[in-house]
Amino acid sequence: MDTAGRRVLVGRIVGLYGVRGWLKLESWTQPRAKIFDYQPWLLSRVLGEEKKVGLVQGRLQGKGMVCELFGVEDRDTATMLVGLDIRIARELLPSLGAKSYYWADLEGFKVVTLQGVALGTVSHLFATGANDVLVVRDSVRERLIPFVQGAYVHQVDLAGGRIWVDWDPAF
């Protein structure tokens, strides 16, 4: 699978911390402090319009996380970064086994029923208490398909960019 140029959403800047330009952030890495290991960060509101930044330091702070970025030395400069998504280059993530993948690797894959009916493409995935969920969109609708292998998801074709599902197209 070609991952060159791909970006992976790993967090978001959610607020200000102090008066010296520190930022509060939300991390979606596991463990969440792992976000500090991936550098540089690519900050953006819209994918493709990104600003590359380096981390000076970061740490867990109570129930949250805070960080200091190069070039952000005051609260006014930091204010402009609140709400930005934190992405990294896909190549920074550790390699996985042949049949393993990251959620970000599945974004853009075509989703097809076992009967060959195209349902759309994977927009993103999200976790619930019970299972992960594929968000599949076409030009008309959005479908939420439980990512339960064997029950609903029957095959993930990494090379072909396709996911085969047992799902009623009317649902």
Side-chain angles (χ1 to χ4, degrees):
M1 172 186 331
D2 182 24
T3 60
R6 295 212 49 186
R7 305 291 191 240
V8 178
L9 183 63
V10 294
R12 179 170 292 131
I13 297 174
V14 296
L16 304 172
Y17 180 76
V19 296
R20 296 190 178 164
W22 280 64
L23 297 156
K24 292 181 184 178
L25 59 105
E26 185 176 347
S27 171
W28 300 311
T29 61
Q30 291 296 327
R32 63 189 182 127
K34 189 77 173 164
I35 194 171
F36 299 128
D37 294 343
Y38 302 122
Q39 296 299 312
W41 287 352
L42 307 165
L43 303 180
S44 67
R45 288 192 204 287
V46 178
L47 188 59
E49 297 176 12
E50 55 195 28
K51 174 183 178 181
K52 187 185 292 190
V53 297
L55 179 72
V56 175
Q57 59 181 315
R59 67 175 184 261
L60 297 174
Q61 181 71 32
K63 292 183 180 181
M65 303 177 75
V66 296
C67 69
E68 178 184 13
L69 300 176
F70 282 106
V72 180
E73 299 173 1
D74 59 59
R75 192 172 178 90
D76 291 337
T77 305
T79 298
M80 295 185 300
L81 302 178
V82 174
L84 294 181
D85 289 332
I86 303 168
R87 290 183 167 81
I88 60 168
R90 167 61 176 85
E91 295 80 26
L92 294 175
L93 296 174
S95 297
L96 298 174
K99 294 190 177 192
S100 299
Y101 40 83
Y102 290 103
W103 281 3
D105 295 337
L106 304 180
E107 293 173 2
F109 275 32
K110 293 182 182 354
V111 178
V112 180
T113 69
L114 295 175
Q115 294 75 31
V117 178
L119 299 179
T121 60
V122 176
S123 167
H124 61 283
L125 290 95
F126 64 89
T128 67
N131 52 263
D132 300 332
V133 175
L134 278 171
V135 179
V136 179
R137 294 183 179 151
D138 63 16
S139 61
V140 178
R141 64 191 300 180
E142 178 178 272
R143 293 178 176 88
L144 304 178
I145 302 173
F147 196 87
V148 178
Q149 294 191 350
Y152 302 110
V153 175
H154 284 267
Q155 181 182 358
V156 176
D157 178 4
L158 293 173
R162 187 174 305 254
I163 300 173
W164 297 90
V165 297
D166 186 4
W167 196 254
D168 182 351
F171 188 67

